Amino acid sequence: MSIIRDDGMLVARYPLPETTLGMSGYILFTKYLKEAPSGTYVAETSPMDGVRRVVAYRRVEGTPFIAVAAADYEFLIQPLQQTALRLGFVAVVIIGAAAVVGWRIRHLLKAQELQSAQLVKALEINEMLLREIHHRVKNNLQSVMSLVRLQMRGQEGFEALSSRIKSMIAVHEQIYKNDAYAKIDAADLIRTVVCSAVSAHDAKLHVEFDLQSAPVSADKATALALLVNEVVTNAIKYAYPDGEGGLWIALTVTDAHGKSQLTIRDQGVGFDVSASSSGTGTRLIEGSVRQLNGVFNFQSETGTTLSANLTLG
């Protein structure tokens, strides 16, 4: 008894073969299977051991396998009645074995298809739930911002707090809009946060971007958004008091381990880096860089430049 794949490779045999066997060039494939999906023939020389055999075969419908049974020719031509009985038995065994093998294979294929469909459906449901979660978080943050606006409008720190909340909203918006639950594109996030900050302060700034696409993990995206928002907001408020000027923002991938270089430069009035106070903004920048496993420094020459080496992955 043998099971042969339709490319001619022997899959299973009893008795067990001593070596693997390719039968694509054998008469079963070159002639008989082309003529009929099932039948019998006399093999003058078995490809396995050279013995003359009577062979019965059947292609298992709906599968890539052929069931084969073979018996020694000399044994079969003994007394006619015995031969006929044995051939009948062999035929029944072949048909039964082919039916069992075919049923089992089809059952396994159907089970695999059902499992695959269930996994696809479960994945779609999970993605829908995650999308809904991020959408609701974004809406909740917008509600918080509305409450802050009602409670703090006109008070010191209102604009800074509002801008920080907007940068957090941008993270969840990027996640659910792009179905990027594990990682999002840092370049898209930076561009969104910068444009939001400029628009919120009604600043007439010309912003030039030079951003390489880099994946940032969802748990680090908020830290990156807050960092960019804080530096850009400081540039709008202090570098260009009249609200007009320019910003240059670059993101460069430095290696394959998630390291990236973020640079934000203005050409404003500048400030004394050594005399900068340890206010909320400075602490927020330091905390964000720490969450991104990075280091940063400010340079104040013909404007102010932030250089930060960050781990986004």
Side-chain angles (χ1 to χ4, degrees), residues 113-179:
E113 288 176 2
L114 178 60
Q115 187 178 31
S116 297
Q118 290 173 338
L119 289 173
V120 169
K121 186 175 181 180
L123 179 60
E124 290 175 351
I125 291 173
N126 287 339
E127 288 182 350
M128 181 187 69
L129 292 174
L130 284 171
R131 190 183 300 111
E132 180 65 18
I133 287 171
H134 285 287
H135 185 62
R136 291 192 180 193
V137 170
K138 181 198 125 177
N139 289 343
N140 289 340
L141 287 172
Q142 287 177 327
S143 298
V144 169
M145 193 166 68
S146 297
L147 292 172
V148 170
R149 185 180 296 112
L150 289 172
Q151 189 71 26
M152 295 183 58
R153 179 176 288 280
Q155 297 183 34
E156 184 180 356
F158 163 71
E159 287 188 354
L161 181 57
S162 177
S163 183
R164 289 162 187 160
I165 294 175
K166 282 185 177 179
S167 68
M168 296 169 69
I169 290 173
V171 172
H172 294 283
E173 196 170 38
Q174 288 288 318
I175 290 174
Y176 85 78
K177 276 188 175 180
N178 299 298
D179 291 342

Side-chain angles (χ1 to χ4, degrees), residues 89-110:
F89 174 76
V90 169
V92 170
V93 170
I94 292 171
I95 294 171
V100 171
V101 170
W103 176 85
R104 182 59 180 167
I105 292 172
R106 293 185 66 134
H107 176 73
L108 291 174
L109 290 174
K110 286 183 179 179

Side-chain angles (χ1 to χ4, degrees), residues 255-275:
D255 64 29
H257 303 290
K259 289 286 187 182
S260 297
Q261 182 74 26
L262 173 67
T263 306
I264 302 177
R265 180 183 305 138
D266 66 60
Q267 294 180 329
V269 297
F271 72 100
D272 185 355
V273 176
S274 61

Side-chain angles (χ1 to χ4, degrees), residues 230-273:
E230 201 64 30
V231 176
V232 171
T233 300
N234 286 343
I236 294 170
K237 291 168 62 177
Y238 304 117
Y240 303 114
D242 58 358
E244 295 187 6
L247 284 174
W248 182 74
I249 302 172
L251 180 69
T252 305
V253 179
T254 56
D255 64 29
H257 303 290
K259 289 286 187 182
S260 297
Q261 182 74 26
L262 173 67
T263 306
I264 302 177
R265 180 183 305 138
D266 66 60
Q267 294 180 329
V269 297
F271 72 100
D272 185 355
V273 176

Side-chain angles (χ1 to χ4, degrees), residues 53-97:
R53 284 194 173 91
V54 175
V55 180
Y57 67 92
R58 183 183 183 88
R59 185 183 294 275
V60 181
E61 189 176 339
T63 74
F65 301 109
I66 297 98
V68 176
D72 186 271
Y73 181 83
E74 297 300 327
F75 176 79
L76 292 176
I77 62 171
Q78 287 179 0
L80 185 60
Q81 189 175 7
Q82 289 184 335
T83 301
L85 290 173
R86 287 169 181 167
L87 281 174
F89 174 76
V90 169
V92 170
V93 170
I94 292 171
I95 294 171

